[in-house]
Amino acid sequence: MADPTVHDVPQPIRDGHGATDNGPRNTPMDIQNPNLLVPPKEDAGTLPNMKFSFSQAHMRLDAGGWAREVTQRELPIATTLAGVNMRLKPGAIRELHWHLQSEWAYVLEGSCRISAVDQEGRNFLEDVTAGDLWFFPRGIPHHIQALADGVEFLLVFDDGEFSENNTFQISDWFAHTPRSVLAKNFGVAEEDFDSLPESELYMFNGPVPPALGSDRIVSPAGDVPRSFKHNLDSMTPVRTSGGTARIVDSTNFTASTTTSAALVEIDPGAIRELHWHPSNDEWQYYVSGRGRMGVFANSGHNRTFDFRAGDVGYVPFAMGHYIENTGDTPLRLLEMFQAPRFEDVSLAQWMALTPGELVRHHLNLNDKVMASLRKEKQPVFRP
Ligand code: MN
Ligand code: MN
């Protein structure tokens, strides 16, 4: 029987290179990141970090639930998008607020009610459940309130410097406006504001709201012209030999003008093909399963990162990459872009649509590889 310490603790050794690490070491993290500890021999050069887990992010605990964020502060390469993971207890309210950035959201569990009012006085009120998205344009005020089952969701903002701790809260503004000004603004007496909260509420407990119909207010200006709600999980996916993809951008969720996404599911053993994006950097959120991503940064630079549920990944603009399912369950992730359209370039499609002899002479490819290219005229994740 193998010595359990040798068997359980991975060592930074590959083909006679490296040596044992006898400590000090953070063994659980080494086990979670096998491709950092023992990189594939093809990995080379210095690249910025492209992984940060929500599990390493500070939790903001409040009466109504919790929130944590992975922004440019946690993951410095992530300049285009920032993410917040939040949970609200049944009835709890993420208070009425607005911010500089647009907000794209994916409901992970449970359900909530969301509202917004736009610059034309048109309003929006809907309930969303697991698998739904919402999108609020920058500067538009909104709220989130959990329904009877509570809710957990991912928020994605179109600026890496966003912070959930720097939003404009209605209670904060009231607390910092002289009572005399409030009295004039609302046409009432100063004493009418005696029970205002003294500071911002942020996330606080409340009663589960009534049925949606009885909560609606009809605006004289009507509803928002493009719904801020979309169901992602019920979209018919693009199906391929290795998994599925649901692509959502401004063409099918027209309100989402600044953020696009693909919800990708990769079967055990399969890969999200070698590709890159001609639009912008890619921000990733791993929903379930395990995988690894190899990133090619030109000039011989390449690095491989491991991911599991709750991790954030990032790929700088135009860098080539693949994602391989290294677990035994489907690997589910969101690929997100600060761009109105989802766009990618498939390596195989590029090669298939370029004169064959030219391609062959670059890479000394045999007939078998050349024949496989002819089947690759369609990129893997596009309808
Ligand atoms: Mn918000
Ligand atoms: Mn990609």
Side-chain angles (χ1 to χ4, degrees), residues 272 275-277 282 284 315 321 323 335 337:
R272 167 80 167 92
H275 69 282
W276 70 94
H277 304 273
E282 173 175 339
Q284 303 166 339
V315 186
H321 52 285
I323 303 167
E335 302 178 1
F337 303 87

Side-chain angles (χ1 to χ4, degrees), residues 97 99 103 142 157:
H97 71 283
H99 30 75
E103 173 177 313
H142 54 275
F157 301 89

